[in-house]
Amino acid sequence: MLQGDERLDYLLAEDLRIIQSPSVFSFSLDAVLLSRFVQVPIQKGQLVDLCSGNGVIPLLLSTRTKGTIIGIEIQERLFDMAVRSIEYNKLSHQLQMIHGDIKEIPKQIGYAKYDVVTCNPPYFPTTSQEEINRNEHLAIARHEIMCTLEDVIRVSSQLLKQGGKAAFVHRPGRLMDILTLMRSYRLEPKRIQFVYPKSGKEANTLLIEGIKDGSPDLKILPPFIVYDEHNEYTQEAKQLLYGDKA
């Protein structure tokens, strides 16, 4: 089942395993934060995760909702890893992966019919050709090569039904871009949470959720702090990563 330098890792708070490869893609705390931040329907609903990578967010969301979840990934190697992880965890009845470009996805799976869209998109503007050549998989995952922030927000709006929720994780430096684009594509920002590596440091991650055609009313949630003064995970971070095993 595993290929090349792949390994089977635990998603620690869940009784799930995920196929990862250090040379291609390994999920980060950002994916876990987003999968816990977004509000999801518990019993039923249709969810889409854009830029799914190796399927970590669909896998994590499967523990919070009985709804169906579609993951979209453009890189064939990552898509294949996600498919095998879903099969390994016996979740094929709930989770589906599509190998494709998010910009084409609304035409493929339908407009205005989904309850929730999530995305942990590439954070950085397009990189140099030299860096892309060095590791194409990582470059595409991190840089706006295959899709831009505007693509992500536009497609999220196209997929969502009225009142549906879109949730993103990104860098605080892009906050104004995110807010401007969300409003221009009818996603009203409703909840923001900033993530700090340590108390007293600048935020390095931003979680944001909007509602399609929602009314203006933005809540800023309490900060999430990852490490304490001893460079160990805070209780909140332990709970997020390890659940009851913390």
Side-chain angles (χ1 to χ4, degrees), residues 62-77:
S62 75
T63 68
R64 298 188 55 215
T65 178
K66 295 188 173 127
T68 59
I69 306 166
I70 300 172
I72 315 295
E73 176 51 47
I74 198 166
Q75 296 196 65
E76 190 164 6
R77 175 86 196 276

Side-chain angles (χ1 to χ4, degrees), residues 21-189:
S21 156
S23 64
V24 180
F25 185 86
S26 296
F27 74 86
S28 67
L29 181 64
D30 294 357
V32 187
L33 286 163
L34 179 60
S35 71
R36 282 286 167 271
F37 170 79
V38 62
Q39 296 176 317
V40 295
I42 295 169
Q43 291 302 329
K44 59 184 180 181
Q46 297 189 86
L47 298 82
V48 179
D49 180 55
L50 304 174
C51 310
S52 274
N54 62 347
V56 60
I57 289 174
L59 286 167
L60 290 168
L61 288 176
S62 75
T63 68
R64 298 188 55 215
T65 178
K66 295 188 173 127
T68 59
I69 306 166
I70 300 172
I72 315 295
E73 176 51 47
I74 198 166
Q75 296 196 65
E76 190 164 6
R77 175 86 196 276
L78 291 178
F79 161 79
D80 179 58
M81 289 162 70
V83 167
R84 285 180 285 131
S85 289
I86 289 166
E87 288 169 355
Y88 181 88
N89 290 289
K90 299 184 170 53
L91 287 169
S92 301
H93 62 286
Q94 184 185 9
L95 273 55
Q96 175 194 355
M97 288 296 300
I98 293 176
H99 176 226
D101 185 333
I102 68 161
K103 298 189 285 294
E104 306 300 322
I105 283 302
K107 280 189 290 202
Q108 195 172 335
I109 66 173
Y111 291 84
K113 60 183 277 194
Y114 295 92
D115 300 286
V116 177
V117 176
T118 53
C119 188
N120 176 7
Y123 290 147
F124 306 108
T126 306
T127 185
S128 67
Q129 192 60 43
E130 182 189 344
E131 195 171 334
I132 296 171
N133 293 344
R134 204 174 302 141
N135 189 326
E136 185 183 8
H137 295 291
L138 296 180
I140 289 171
R142 291 171 183 164
H143 295 266
E144 295 182 342
I145 296 166
M146 297 297 191
C147 68
T148 64
L149 179 60
E150 183 165 5
D151 292 332
V152 164
I153 291 173
R154 183 186 66 253
V155 169
S156 298
S157 180
Q158 289 170 342
L159 291 169
L160 285 172
K161 57 174 71 163
Q162 196 167 13
K165 294 188 171 100
F168 311 110
V169 58
H170 218 289
R171 293 288 173 257
R174 300 297 297 277
L175 175 59
M176 286 310 301
D177 296 336
I178 294 165
L179 293 173
T180 305
L181 286 165
M182 285 178 75
R183 275 221 162 146
S184 69
Y185 287 104
R186 298 167 47 202
L187 297 176
E188 184 60 32

